[in-house]
């Protein structure tokens, strides 16, 4: 039997219902920059700190552009004063968390108390230690807080 030639758009073994990724290059310069930024995220070749810093700067610029485009498309505009206020609040929360971690790191807990919480509350040693540090090493307060925790 003689085989008929296939039309040029049909390829053997390809499912026509399956979506194929577009192989055409991005049309605009912004799309090409975005594609380059995304492909650079895939690269794990961090040869030097300078490249890492440069990549972070590029990522920040790309993020800022993406946010501005999003603002334009949704019609919502975030005022610069609101942005700086949000940044101040973010930095303050970050500083508070850091101070809290430092404070908790200084709290000493008794190994017997950790064992008690592990046995009675069926916690891991890490969770029991964190619970005790949160309650200044007081096992009774820690157990009460664990039992009466809101659902």
């Amino acid at each position: 039997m003689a085989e008929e030639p296939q039309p040029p758009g049909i390829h053997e073994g390809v499912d026509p219902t399956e979506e194929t990724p577009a192989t055409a290059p991005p049309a605009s310069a912004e799309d090409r920059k975005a594609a380059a930024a995304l492909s650079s995220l895939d690269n794990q070749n961090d040869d030097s700190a300078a490249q890492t810093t440069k990549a972070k700067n590029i990522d920040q610029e790309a993020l800022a552009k993406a946010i501005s485009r999003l603002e334009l498309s949704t019609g919502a505009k975030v005022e610069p004063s609101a942005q700086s206020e949000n940044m101040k609040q973010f930095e303050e929360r970050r500083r508070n968390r850091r101070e809290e971690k430092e404070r908790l790191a200084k709290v000493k807990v008794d190994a017997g108390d950790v064992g008690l919480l592990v046995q009675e509350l069926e916690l891991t040693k890490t969770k029991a230690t964190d619970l005790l540090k949160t309650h200044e090493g007081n096992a009774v307060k820690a157990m009460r807080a664990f039992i009466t925790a809101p659902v």
Side-chain angles (χ1 to χ4, degrees):
M1 286 173 75
E3 293 184 16
E4 294 181 28
Q6 295 291 326
I10 305 274
H11 298 286
E12 187 175 332
V14 176
D15 185 8
T17 60
E18 183 178 302
E19 292 184 28
T20 56
T23 57
S28 70
E30 287 183 12
D31 291 342
R32 286 190 295 273
K33 287 180 183 177
L38 288 174
S39 66
S40 71
L41 291 176
D42 292 337
N43 295 339
Q44 298 298 326
N45 300 332
D46 293 335
D47 297 333
S48 68
Q51 284 182 343
T52 304
T53 305
K54 183 179 177 184
K56 286 181 181 179
N57 289 340
I58 291 171
D59 291 344
Q60 290 296 327
E61 292 172 8
L63 178 63
K65 286 180 183 178
I67 289 174
S68 67
R69 276 189 250 140
L70 180 63
E71 289 171 351
L72 292 175
S73 67
T74 61
K77 179 68 177 158
V78 178
E79 296 299 322
S81 62
Q83 287 178 343
S84 63
E85 185 64 33
N86 289 341
M87 190 58 120
K88 287 177 187 176
Q89 290 173 354
F90 173 76
E91 290 297 329
E92 185 176 337
R93 285 192 305 265
R94 179 192 246 172
R95 188 179 67 254
N96 290 342
R97 274 187 253 135
R98 190 177 324 117
E99 289 171 358
E100 181 69 12
K101 282 184 181 181
E102 289 171 0
R103 185 187 68 79
L104 291 178
K106 294 177 184 176
V107 174
K108 302 296 180 195
V109 295
D110 186 26
D113 291 341
V114 173
L116 176 69
L117 267 66
V118 167
Q119 183 178 2
E120 296 300 323
L121 301 178
E122 297 179 357
L123 297 173
T124 63
K125 286 185 178 182
T126 307
K127 294 278 186 183
T129 304
D130 291 342
L131 186 62
L132 281 166
K133 285 186 175 194
T134 303
H135 295 91
E136 292 87 30
N138 188 331
V140 175
K141 283 184 183 177
M143 292 175 83
R144 282 188 181 150
F146 182 80
I147 292 170
T148 60
V151 215

